[in-house]
Amino acid sequence: NGTFVLMGLRVKGWQNASMASIRHALAPALLLATLAVTPAVAQEEAVELPEGFSQKMADRVTEVIEAVPPIRRLPAAESVAYEVVDSEAFLARLQDKLREDYPAEYIEAEENAFKRLGLLGPDQDLEKLTLKLYDQQALAAYEPETKTFSIIGPVKKIGPTEKIIVAHEYGHALQDQAFDLAAFYDEDPDAADRIWARAALVEGDATAMMYDWAARELKLSDLLSVSAQALSQQDANKLNRLPDILTRPLEFAYIDGYAFVNALRGQGDWDAVDAAFADPPASTEQILHPELYPKEEPVRIELPDVAAELGSGWTASYEQTMGEMQTHVWLADGKKAQSLFPALPAQLPNSEAAAGWGGDRLASLDGPDGAWAVVWQTDWDSKVDQKEFRSTARKVMKDLPGAHSATNADIAGGLSSPVLVLVADSDATLGDLEEALGI
């Protein structure tokens, strides 16, 4: 089960290609976000072509595939089947996969946690937003379990954009064969930060390879054509209307992952990237700050049994590690940053308050009579970082419903520069929570 994380939801076994990446891949020239997708490889025997796929189109796919392995310096992958599916069929399959891997109560718990933190609006639906993003952005998908590459059609030609998709996705096929993507991703659904860090390595690798392929194989006119399609203001506007907790992780995997892989290649080219698959990044902090990889490991935080401390009727419905990347989304508080290029990602506000992240653990709890609470224990690299996060967190929470606090309390034990964020449905619940935690 290769895993792709989106808003905390892990879509197991699916890697997806999105138009969002086309906006980010070749800086102003092409941005192609394909979340681990793989096309068919050249095959000696005749095979049945996808419906609507001509032999000429298949030949062009094969040409791209044959050019990729020497660029990435990995052996050619064994035969990978490909198909063309329409967007409606793709979304139906994706929804089935989500529901197969995650029970409705898990999705509901995650949705509630994000709403309580203000990351989602009170009327927004997590599953529907996830599917909406794919509906707007998905170009292709690869399933490691079946080794099948699905192009979301209709596909009328294999032009520059389609070739870029094939190159990127065949890069994932090479990764799958060399590093076993199904085993590479963490199976723990409550380890989103670590999974996103690994996704950034996978996507950054494929994006860097795609850059190299495009520079070698595409003409300037082809790049300009792709750029014109990619830098669509309409496309950017659609993404901007979706919550940042959904869109920022998508950008992170490609853009920040690409920068991370570039940093690795500066130390030892593709050999250094290959070594990173054996010693994967442990946090999104390491991706955002490549100089911290691999030495600065996140602080491991274990929360006490808060539900038991609160008493009868309380349950912990959701636990997660947010990490620096998603903490930054929360601290930005829905504010958008301006960019010189509308189609390129801009730094969200308050990034300095998320830097210095050392570790965190969050629990969302449900109690009797509709009561609820969120307990988020964080730790920071220094007292300066601690103060900056605490101050910004208090500002972010001013417009949250219910009651909230941010103090230097440590309920995990042994933290050097802790900040404990508490959010509750009411002052009464917050008071009960603080008493139960001994604050």
Side-chain angles (χ1 to χ4, degrees):
N1 297 325
T3 303
F4 169 58
V5 188
L6 189 59
M7 286 178 56
L9 290 179
R10 268 64 57 192
V11 186
K12 296 179 181 178
W14 287 59
Q15 317 294 2
N16 302 282
S18 88
M19 180 63 80
S21 44
I22 287 192
R23 302 180 331 131
H24 308 314
L26 288 179
L30 56 130
L31 291 201
L32 158 16
T34 60
L35 299 150
V37 192
T38 317
V41 301
Q43 304 178 39
E44 294 182 1
E45 66 275 11
V47 296
E48 183 178 351
L49 297 175
E51 183 177 353
F53 227 72
S54 68
Q55 185 60 53
K56 182 178 180 181
M57 295 165 69
D59 291 343
R60 288 186 174 180
V61 168
T62 299
E63 289 171 3
V64 175
I65 287 170
E66 290 176 343
V68 168
I71 293 175
R72 181 52 184 86
R73 300 180 191 172
L74 286 174
E78 296 179 2
S79 179
V80 178
Y82 61 88
E83 64 180 356
V84 177
V85 297
D86 63 40
S87 60
E88 186 175 337
F90 169 75
L91 288 173
R93 284 162 56 178
L94 178 64
Q95 187 173 41
D96 288 344
K97 185 64 177 173
L98 275 173
R99 291 174 177 173
E100 175 187 335
D101 291 336
Y102 296 96
E105 55 267 25
Y106 182 93
I107 297 176
E108 181 182 5
E110 183 158 79
E111 178 182 299
N112 287 337
F114 286 146
K115 287 180 177 179
R116 293 164 183 178
L117 289 170
L119 290 165
L120 288 179
D123 298 324
Q124 290 182 312
D125 184 296
L126 175 61
E127 183 177 343
K128 288 182 179 178
L129 284 171
T130 301
L131 295 173
K132 184 177 182 179
L133 178 68
Y134 277 100
D135 188 31
Q136 293 180 358
Q137 299 298 316
L139 299 176
Y142 170 67
E143 298 177 68
E145 290 177 341
T146 62
K147 310 297 183 187
T148 300
F149 171 57
S150 302
I151 302 174
I152 300 173
V155 178
K156 298 180 180 179
K157 65 176 183 178
I158 302 297
T161 298
E162 291 76 18
K163 289 180 179 180
I164 289 168
I165 295 170
V166 169
H168 184 110
E169 305 323 333
Y170 187 62
H172 288 304
L174 300 184
Q175 294 169 341
D176 193 16
Q177 179 172 271
F179 310 117
D180 188 1
L181 292 181
F184 181 70
Y185 285 101
D186 201 308
E187 288 297 313
D188 182 0
D190 301 333
D193 185 59
R194 185 163 63 244
I195 298 171
W196 270 120
R198 294 190 178 202
L201 173 59
V202 170
E203 295 305 333
D205 175 347
T207 301
M209 182 281 302
M210 181 184 69
Y211 270 117
D212 290 1
W213 174 88
R216 179 182 300 185
E217 301 292 335
L218 292 183
K219 299 180 293 185
L220 177 60
S221 59
D222 292 333
L223 292 174
L224 292 175
S225 172
V226 173
S227 179
Q229 178 181 348
L231 301 181
S232 162
Q233 187 60 53
Q234 181 181 12
D235 185 60
N237 289 339
K238 286 181 180 180
L239 281 179
N240 286 336
R241 286 194 290 267
L242 293 171
D244 289 332
I245 192 60
L246 191 156
T247 58
R248 171 55 182 145
L250 179 65
E251 293 178 344
F252 168 83
Y254 299 93
I255 311 312
D256 298 279
Y258 171 65
F260 176 76
V261 167
N262 272 351
L264 293 178
R265 292 184 69 186
Q267 300 170 12
D269 206 8
W270 290 115
D271 288 342
V273 180
D274 294 347
F277 277 90
D279 184 16
S283 67
T284 58
E285 178 190 40
Q286 291 183 338
I287 300 295
L288 292 163
H289 311 281
E291 69 278 6
L292 301 181
Y293 170 80
K295 293 183 179 179
E296 185 158 327
E297 294 278 336
V299 175
R300 186 176 181 83
I301 296 177
E302 294 187 12
L303 296 176
D305 190 345
V306 181
E309 297 293 336
L310 283 168
S312 177
W314 281 92
T315 59
S317 57
Y318 180 76
E319 264 199 49
Q320 193 57 268
T321 297
M322 298 292 283
E324 181 176 338
M325 183 264 290
Q326 293 191 105
T327 297
H328 184 192
V329 173
W330 184 69
L331 291 174
D333 199 22
K335 296 181 177 66
K336 305 289 185 180
Q338 298 298 316
S339 172
L340 292 176
F341 299 97
L344 297 177
Q347 184 81 324
L348 291 170
N350 297 329
S351 61
E352 66 284 350
W357 175 90
D360 78 75
R361 194 66 175 165
L362 178 147
S364 181
L365 303 106
D366 297 292
D369 302 320
W372 57 262
V374 174
V375 176
W376 187 10
Q377 180 69 72
T378 68
D379 196 30
W380 298 85
D381 291 343
S382 71
K383 298 301 181 184
V384 172
D385 296 321
Q386 175 193 47
K387 181 179 180 181
E388 193 164 31
F389 172 74
R390 186 187 66 234
S391 175
T392 307
R394 288 172 176 172
K395 294 175 183 176
V396 166
M397 291 190 292
K398 282 184 178 180
D399 59 355
L400 287 182
H404 36 78
S405 66
T407 65
N408 290 352
D410 175 7
I411 63 170
L415 304 181
S416 61
S417 302
V419 176
L420 178 67
V421 173
L422 301 177
V423 185
D425 65 281
S426 65
D427 289 329
T429 300
L430 180 62
D432 291 342
L433 182 61
E434 291 175 333
E435 182 178 356
L437 295 174
I439 299 173

